[in-house]
Amino acid sequence: MPTYAYACKDCDHAFDIVQSFSDSSLTECPGCKGALRKKFNSVGVVFKGSGFYRTDSRDAKGSTVSAAPASPSSPAAPAAAPATAAAAS
């Protein structure tokens, strides 16, 4: 559940309270019974790194993205030479 910050407009009393998303906002100061206002803070999410793609934090074997196919103009790798009888003896 999120934590909300409130401040009283009359007595400057400030406090934080944990509330559900479905709870209504508080309107009365618990100290002086004055009007409250909800304070807004910066969001606690920080994006760091070279990019923000779904594969940035995954290893290669767990990725669902396939490797780029080889271009048709590149030469094929030579096949392995068959073993000869002379090399086996």
Side-chain angles (χ1 to χ4, degrees):
M1 288 195 300
T3 301
Y4 294 100
Y6 288 93
C8 180
K9 293 180 182 178
D10 299 332
C11 70
D12 292 328
H13 173 72
F15 61 96
D16 295 340
I17 188 167
V18 176
Q19 289 182 298
S20 174
F21 288 110
S22 60
D23 292 345
S24 58
S25 296
L26 300 180
T27 57
E28 188 176 275
C29 177
C32 72
K33 306 299 181 200
L36 284 178
R37 67 180 177 89
K38 190 180 282 189
K39 294 169 50 175
F40 295 97
N41 298 322
S42 61
V43 178
V45 177
V46 178
F47 296 103
K48 294 183 179 179
S50 61
F52 306 109
Y53 298 99
R54 69 183 193 137
T55 57
D56 281 351
S57 61
R58 297 181 183 170
D59 59 350
K61 66 181 177 184
S63 176
T64 58
V65 178
S66 61
S71 63
S73 62
S74 64
T84 60
S89 54

